[in-house]
Amino acid sequence: MGDKDAETKPADRRYLWLGERICSSLKVKDDSYQKLLASENRQEPDFHFCGSASDARRPTQPLVGSCRASLAQFLDSANVTTLLVYVDGKDLGAAARSVPKKVKKSVYFVKLTKAALSNDTVSKQVVCGELGESVLEQLSSLSQEVVLPLLSNPANHVGISDGVGREVQDRLHQFIADACVAIGQTKGQTLLPLPATNEEADRKMAGNTAAVPGLNKNKDALHLLENAVVTWTRQIKGALKATPQSAAAESGVRLGPLQELQFWQERAQDLNSVSAQLTNAKTAKLIKLLEVSQSTYYPGFVRHVSAFIIQLLLDDLLLREHRPLAKEVETGRAEANDNVRYLAPLRKLLEKLSQLDDFQALPEVFKPLMHTLLLIWKHSQFYNTAARMACMLSEICDELIAQASRFLPGAELVQMEPQEAVDKLRTTLKVLGSFKQLFGEYSAKSRTEPPGNPWTFQTSSIFARLDSYQERCSRLMEMSQASLQFSRLERVEIGGTKGKALTANVKQVHTEYMAAAGKLQKVTYDVTDTDQPMFQQDFADYQAVVAELEHRLGSIIFQAVDDCTTVAAIFKLLEGFEGLLEREAIAGELERKYLELLAAFSVDIRQVTEMLQKNQRQPPLSRNAAPHSGAVAWVRSLKERASAPMEKLKGLQKVVLESDEAREVMRAYDRLAADIEAYERSRVEDWGQLVSEISEQKLKQPLLRSEQVNGLTLLQVNFDPSLVKLLREVHYFLLLPGLKQSIPASALKVYERADSFRAQIGNLELIVGLYNDIQRTMMPVEKPLIQGKLDTVDAALRKGLQLLNWNSLRIDDQILEVMALVRDVNETLSAIKATVSSTQKILADWLATPMFERKEGKSYSYDDLSSSANDLIRARHLAVSDGSKDIGKLLSATNRTLKVSKSALAWRAYVDFIQELVIEGLASSIIKTLEHLTNQACLRGPTSPSPRHA
């Protein structure tokens, strides 16, 4: 076991002595104390002693270690003179100088001398006692109720001189008064300490006026009273002198608007408490004693007490003839209570101002806030002074700066993307600017609403910090905008003969700028803090670098412009440096080049004007363009050729635009623009007049029309070409911006049906195509077979030829009906023609191979030739037999398709037609064989008979 363990054994009476008093005072069991002694890891708390305000402000150096170590140090170390033991939850805790604030009761041990304690001296050299939650109140009560009676008892003055005894009592009275004052300070109140007296003095002071002369002889009591009056006077002066500004100066922290409201509330409570203390019975008797005793402290004291309070005191004492005129306390009370009353409506608005998370929504609070301030100015009796209102407005500005700093933290700002930083800074300046603007509006309103008392504040003092913060934000936005503009240089590529070298120079400028901006981004302080002096020098260094880079970049652009050959090339070049051209140094370098650019642009305008005058009657149209809309598109292309450079030209420096050359160019452009507008308007109006005459008339035409071609009746879709042109014109006009209002309503109405017309025309074209193919390909022998279906189709088509027009209802249903009929006829005719085609293919196979074969140059005997011929004839007979069967099957299939009787004349005529084809095919085959035989026998004549003759 170690030495420390040996010290904790029961034989060490020091720990037993401490444990008895700890367990008795804190009412805990001995087990808790033994657990405290056994503690190893519990640390001594680092809390300030819960004493007076001065103790709370005094820095402490706590002894860090285990709770057991605190007991051991108190017993063994001569330098440790105090020990505090308290209940910490379910366990005991020990500390050398401080206890947690939540502790309600503790036990203190104090050494009488700085020495280590032994078993014999611990009970003699240590005093102990209990401390409650309110230590100062306990100390004050102990001093007045225990110590003062002991020191006031003459029996305890044996062996002490009167002077020493009086001085000790005076010091004790002063200590009691200081304790009372300290108690008030901890509570935020002004407590007036009453002089502590013995019971005999109290009985005399409690008497009536007749008892006063006797009391006046008691110089000690009067001395105590005068000391108390001095303390009261000092306290009342301090309470009356307190202002929001002095409170902020004392705390070293800027006072916010909510803190000012709290100040006035606490001040009202404090002065009301002072008034209540001055008007109680005991204080009244003490003041009466001062007056009747003709104390020299009485006039000085009443100067700081209101006439109202004195009157109450004198009314109680029947001394109405005394009416002090001083009103400091009453005036202070009235002011504080009046301010609390009229400032109360501001609380919710100020809380919203300080707690609102959406910074951009702050302007919604400004107007009701300003309106409330104006109402306070009109109706309050004390807060309608320039000093008070200027103070409140200045505090609101500080709160706005705090909100802006939360929305735009300086540490994050320098690391943001430039565009994001610009957006946030612009938002911040907009919000802060709206507050100042609204202040100006209500400042003007104050000249009329409270007559004779307008807002005449010095805005320079009110908005000093806000203006400084806005200026800082403006500088930071200047830097962010420059970073955004210079960052574009990384992507700039300059063409022309000098392009490669100039591009390299631009890249170098970009690199150097990024280095300068990066240096400012690495600062360790908050760049938005206006009290930070280092920013001024750092920003000045940054500006010097930027100025030098601007001059270099201006020279580069100057050379690049010289290398351009056209106006378009110059503007394209300048587009790459967008944003940078407005910078002062660069603009100065390019000012002379801008004048040359004006001259070149003037030539372009003259060329465009000549093109308009030359081609306006027959404008060059693009392929497939409609006449009128194409003309408008052409003239707009001319306008764009001039307007695009003109818009960029307007972005040049003001000094360039105000030159005579620029004014002349603008006049020429205005004339050209007027001519283009007039031409466009005339083309649209001319087309509109034609449309109104065409649209309704052409839509009343029938859907179809017929015509005779080589004896055949053929059909065509009757959609007038003028309607097609109308739809095209409307379509292309709608593609041109800003022309929809100029298109006639009748044309737009027709165009709304464009998709329907397109579908209907497509279906009708299909129907007409099928019908015309039927008419062209149908043979006379085939027509009787489909005559019935043809008649049905003709009847249906007759509606489209005679009855239906493009405005008719249910056109789509009629088209679908005719489509089905025409397709049926076409399919039937295709089946008939398929039979003929298949028959002709079979006959072609017979014709392809003659019924005589002989190899070239070979001689045959009769027998060989006869045998070969017989084989060929048998094969041909077999082929003819099979072909005849196939043709028969084809005829049967066609008959089933036509659903016609085999005895019908039309069918019999069709079968005869097929038979003629077969006979002609056989004859052709025989003739081809004879011709081949003749050629082989060299007996071919000059002419060959036709198959029919054969």
Side-chain angles (χ1 to χ4, degrees):
M1 302 291 287
D3 295 336
K4 292 183 178 179
D5 294 332
E7 291 176 356
T8 62
K9 293 180 179 180
D12 194 337
R13 295 197 304 273
R14 298 178 303 171
Y15 287 96
L16 293 176
W17 187 85
L18 292 176
E20 290 175 358
R21 282 148 184 80
I22 291 171
C23 294
S24 174
S25 298
L26 298 180
K27 294 181 174 53
V28 296
K29 295 182 179 180
D30 186 62
D31 294 344
S32 298
Y33 179 63
Q34 295 301 326
K35 188 175 181 181
L36 172 66
L37 296 179
S39 64
E40 290 289 347
N41 299 322
R42 292 179 58 215
Q43 299 295 313
E44 178 183 339
D46 185 13
F47 290 93
H48 291 296
F49 182 80
C50 298
S52 65
S54 60
D55 291 329
R57 290 189 295 267
R58 185 184 301 121
T60 61
Q61 298 294 334
L63 298 173
V64 180
S66 67
C67 293
R68 187 182 68 177
S70 297
L71 271 69
Q73 289 170 352
F74 175 72
L75 296 173
D76 299 335
S77 175
N79 294 325
V80 180
T81 58
T82 59
L83 175 67
L84 297 168
V85 182
Y86 54 91
V87 178
D88 184 12
K90 296 182 180 180
D91 302 324
L92 290 177
R97 295 187 59 178
S98 59
V99 297
K101 293 183 179 179
K102 62 181 179 180
V103 172
K104 295 184 178 180
K105 186 177 182 181
S106 60
V107 180
Y108 68 87
F109 298 91
V110 179
K111 295 179 182 179
L112 298 179
T113 60
K114 287 187 176 183
L117 301 175
S118 64
N119 290 336
D120 297 331
T121 61
V122 65
S123 60
K124 300 176 182 179
Q125 295 296 325
V126 177
V127 293
C128 64
E130 299 177 1
L131 293 176
E133 186 176 6
S134 302
V135 179
L136 285 175
E137 284 84 345
Q138 184 179 352
L139 180 63
S140 178
S141 298
L142 178 66
S143 301
Q144 293 187 68
E145 298 174 10
V146 179
V147 179
L148 180 61
L150 289 174
L151 293 180
S152 300
N153 189 349
N156 295 327
H157 294 180
V158 177
I160 301 176
S161 65
D162 293 341
V164 172
R166 189 178 299 108
E167 183 179 357
V168 171
Q169 291 186 56
D170 288 345
R171 289 181 178 275
L172 178 60
H173 282 291
Q174 185 62 44
F175 174 78
I176 294 172
D178 292 343
C180 179
V181 172
I183 291 171
Q185 290 175 346
T186 59
K187 296 179 179 179
Q189 299 177 359
T190 301
L191 294 183
L192 303 179
L194 293 174
T197 60
N198 56 26
E199 294 182 358
E200 182 181 358
D202 288 340
R203 284 194 301 271
K204 290 181 180 181
M205 291 177 65
N208 55 19
T209 308
V212 172
L215 182 62
N216 190 33
K217 297 178 181 179
N218 190 341
K219 295 182 179 180
D220 292 339
L222 183 60
H223 177 66
L224 291 177
L225 179 57
E226 290 177 342
N227 287 340
V229 168
V230 171
T231 302
W232 293 355
T233 303
R234 184 175 63 251
Q235 288 180 273
I236 292 173
K237 284 182 178 180
L240 292 174
K241 289 180 180 179
T243 62
Q245 293 81 1
S246 64
E250 183 178 351
S251 64
V253 180
R254 292 185 182 277
L255 204 66
L258 285 172
Q259 285 72 36
E260 178 166 350
L261 265 62
Q262 185 66 27
F263 167 82
W264 287 113
Q265 188 172 357
E266 293 175 356
R267 178 175 171 82
Q269 294 173 354
D270 187 32
L271 293 181
N272 289 335
S273 173
V274 170
S275 177
Q277 293 175 69
L278 289 174
T279 56
N280 64 41
K282 191 171 183 179
T283 306
K285 292 177 182 180
L286 293 176
I287 295 175
K288 181 189 71 172
L289 177 61
L290 283 176
E291 183 182 16
V292 300
S293 301
Q294 297 181 354
S295 172
T296 57
Y297 290 92
Y298 176 74
F301 172 70
V302 297
R303 277 198 301 270
H304 301 283
V305 183
S306 71
F308 171 74
I309 295 173
I310 294 297
Q311 182 174 346
L312 291 177
L313 299 177
L314 297 181
D315 284 345
D316 291 339
L317 300 174
L318 301 178
L319 296 175
R320 298 177 180 272
E321 64 275 12
H322 298 280
R323 296 289 189 269
L325 301 178
K327 297 182 179 181
E328 287 92 340
V329 173
E330 180 58 25
T331 302
R333 282 182 66 245
E335 179 187 22
N337 289 317
D338 186 79
N339 290 347
V340 168
R341 175 187 178 189
Y342 285 102
L343 293 177
L346 281 177
R347 181 170 296 277
K348 288 185 177 180
L349 294 173
L350 293 175
E351 287 176 349
K352 187 174 182 181
L353 181 70
S354 62
Q355 299 172 7
L356 194 63
D357 293 332
D358 187 3
F359 181 74
Q360 299 184 54
L362 282 180
E364 299 175 4
V365 186
F366 293 163
K367 189 167 185 178
L369 182 62
M370 281 295 179
H371 186 71
T372 305
L373 289 174
L374 185 60
L375 291 176
I376 294 172
W377 181 265
K378 289 170 61 178
H379 299 287
S380 175
Q381 297 180 8
F382 296 93
Y383 215 82
N384 60 348
T385 63
R388 288 279 180 257
M389 191 59 68
C391 179
M392 174 60 73
L393 289 170
S394 179
E395 291 164 358
I396 292 174
C397 290
D398 290 343
E399 188 62 45
L400 287 177
I401 293 174
Q403 275 281 39
S405 298
R406 287 191 288 272
F407 173 71
L408 194 67
E412 297 178 10
L413 177 64
V414 293
Q415 303 300 330
M416 287 181 185
E417 290 295 325
Q419 185 60 58
E420 182 184 1
V422 168
D423 293 340
K424 282 203 166 190
L425 286 165
R426 185 177 289 116
T427 299
T428 302
L429 291 172
K430 181 180 178 182
V431 171
L432 300 182
S434 66
F435 177 76
K436 293 182 66 175
Q437 180 182 359
L438 199 62
F439 168 79
E441 295 176 4
Y442 274 86
S443 180
K445 189 180 293 185
S446 70
R447 297 186 181 93
T448 57
E449 293 200 3
N453 190 21
W455 285 359
T456 56
F457 314 138
Q458 292 292 332
T459 55
S460 58
S461 61
I462 295 175
F463 297 112
R465 288 196 72 238
L466 189 63
D467 290 341
S468 179
Y469 185 82
Q470 285 182 293
E471 182 183 358
R472 178 65 56 86
C473 288
S474 298
R475 290 194 171 190
L476 292 172
M477 187 164 73
E478 176 186 341
M479 187 190 77
S480 299
Q481 287 176 332
S483 297
L484 184 63
Q485 294 164 357
F486 275 90
S487 65
R488 295 172 182 158
L489 297 180
E490 187 178 13
R491 301 183 296 274
V492 170
E493 293 291 339
I494 301 176
T497 57
K498 302 178 181 178
K500 186 175 181 179
L502 295 176
T503 301
N505 292 336
V506 170
K507 303 295 183 185
Q508 182 62 30
V509 169
H510 172 263
T511 302
E512 293 182 20
Y513 174 82
M514 297 306 294
K519 183 179 178 181
L520 196 58
Q521 290 173 349
K522 293 178 182 178
V523 296
T524 57
Y525 54 84
D526 184 354
V527 294
T528 61
D529 185 3
T530 55
D531 297 328
Q532 177 54 254
M534 295 177 63
F535 177 81
Q536 302 295 338
Q537 183 59 46
D538 291 339
F539 190 76
D541 295 342
Y542 161 82
Q543 283 183 313
V545 174
V546 171
E548 192 271 334
L549 293 177
E550 286 176 355
H551 284 291
R552 286 169 54 188
L553 189 59
S555 176
I556 294 171
I557 299 174
F558 188 92
Q559 297 177 55
V561 170
D562 280 342
D563 205 31
C564 293
T565 57
T566 63
V567 174
I570 294 175
F571 279 119
K572 185 176 181 180
L573 169 70
L574 297 180
E575 281 180 2
F577 299 94
E578 184 180 3
L580 290 165
L581 301 179
E582 290 80 12
R583 304 188 74 85
E584 184 176 354
I586 298 177
E589 292 284 346
L590 295 178
E591 183 175 348
R592 182 162 55 85
K593 284 298 176 184
Y594 287 149
L595 297 178
E596 296 177 6
L597 181 61
L598 285 174
F601 182 56
S602 177
V603 173
D604 274 6
I605 291 179
R606 187 163 55 252
Q607 292 175 352
V608 172
T609 303
E610 292 173 355
M611 292 175 63
L612 175 64
Q613 295 173 351
K614 179 180 179 181
N615 299 309
Q616 59 182 349
R617 294 188 178 275
Q618 292 183 344
L621 304 181
S622 59
R623 187 176 181 182
N624 297 326
H628 296 277
S629 59
V632 173
W634 167 75
V635 79
R636 284 199 172 187
S637 68
L638 295 180
K639 182 179 180 180
E640 184 178 357
R641 176 177 171 179
S643 61
M646 189 63 190
E647 290 300 321
K648 296 174 182 177
L649 200 65
K650 291 179 179 178
L652 299 181
Q653 298 178 25
K654 186 176 180 181
V655 64
V656 176
L657 296 177
E658 292 178 352
S659 64
D660 294 338
E661 294 84 351
R663 291 192 180 96
E664 181 59 34
V665 168
M666 289 182 180
R667 283 194 293 268
Y669 173 80
D670 291 339
R671 289 193 297 269
L672 174 62
D675 292 342
I676 289 174
E677 291 293 335
Y679 178 79
E680 178 181 315
R681 186 169 53 253
S682 65
R683 293 304 298 250
V684 174
E685 290 175 354
D686 293 345
W687 173 76
Q689 293 177 358
L690 295 175
V691 166
S692 59
E693 300 173 359
I694 291 174
S695 57
E696 290 300 327
Q697 177 184 355
K698 299 301 181 181
L699 289 175
K700 293 179 181 179
Q701 293 180 349
L703 300 179
L704 301 171
R705 58 186 176 87
S706 63
E707 59 181 358
Q708 296 294 321
V709 179
N710 299 327
L712 298 176
T713 301
L714 302 180
L715 300 179
Q716 287 185 356
V717 179
N718 193 29
F719 194 78
D720 197 276
S722 60
L723 290 175
V724 176
K725 292 180 180 179
L726 183 147
L727 294 175
R728 289 180 61 209
E729 293 282 10
V730 175
H731 174 73
Y732 287 112
F733 271 130
L734 291 176
L735 293 178
L736 296 173
L739 281 180
K740 185 174 181 179
Q741 302 299 327
S742 303
I743 300 174
S746 58
L748 287 174
K749 186 176 180 181
V750 174
Y751 184 76
E752 290 173 358
R753 299 169 58 190
D755 292 337
S756 176
F757 287 148
R758 189 176 296 108
Q760 291 169 359
I761 292 171
N763 289 330
L764 289 174
E765 291 284 1
L766 182 58
I767 291 172
V768 168
L770 291 175
Y771 182 82
N772 290 342
D773 286 343
I774 291 171
Q775 294 294 334
R776 292 190 184 98
T777 61
M778 184 175 57
M779 295 185 294
V781 71
E782 296 170 340
K783 184 174 182 180
L785 295 174
I786 58 174
Q787 187 63 52
K789 293 185 177 183
L790 280 175
D791 293 340
T792 304
V793 169
D794 290 339
L797 290 174
R798 197 173 297 114
K799 295 180 181 179
L801 291 166
Q802 300 175 359
L803 300 178
L804 298 177
N805 60 42
W806 297 101
N807 289 328
S808 299
L809 301 176
R810 304 186 66 180
I811 294 177
D812 294 335
D813 295 339
Q814 294 293 331
I815 290 174
L816 291 176
E817 178 184 350
V818 175
M819 178 74 74
L821 294 174
V822 173
R823 281 181 173 174
D824 182 47
V825 173
N826 184 64
E827 290 171 359
T828 302
L829 183 60
S830 297
I832 295 172
K833 291 186 175 296
T835 299
V836 175
S837 177
S838 298
T839 300
Q840 290 175 340
K841 183 177 180 182
I842 292 172
L843 297 176
D845 291 339
W846 297 348
L847 184 61
T849 306
M851 290 182 293
F852 176 79
E853 289 183 355
R854 175 178 175 270
K855 294 182 178 180
E856 189 70 26
K858 184 179 179 180
S859 300
Y860 291 89
S861 64
Y862 175 79
D863 292 336
D864 293 337
L865 186 60
S866 175
S867 175
S868 176
N870 290 333
D871 292 340
L872 290 173
I873 291 171
R874 282 194 298 270
R876 178 57 54 85
H877 285 173
L878 182 60
V880 170
S881 176
D882 292 341
S884 299
K885 292 177 181 180
D886 291 340
I887 292 171
K889 291 178 181 180
L890 291 172
L891 288 172
S892 298
T894 303
N895 184 264
R896 288 193 298 271
T897 301
L898 294 173
K899 298 178 181 180
V900 64
S901 174
K902 292 183 179 181
S903 60
L905 294 177
W907 175 253
R908 291 171 63 185
Y910 179 71
V911 172
D912 292 342
F913 173 73
I914 296 298
Q915 288 177 349
E916 289 182 2
L917 288 178
V918 174
I919 293 171
E920 186 173 354
L922 288 172
S924 297
S925 179
I926 293 169
I927 292 172
K928 184 172 183 178
T929 298
L930 292 175
E931 289 177 347
H932 180 65
L933 180 61
T934 302
N935 291 334
Q936 291 296 322
C938 298
L939 297 175
R940 183 178 179 182
T943 59
S944 299
S946 66
R948 179 74 62 181
H949 293 160

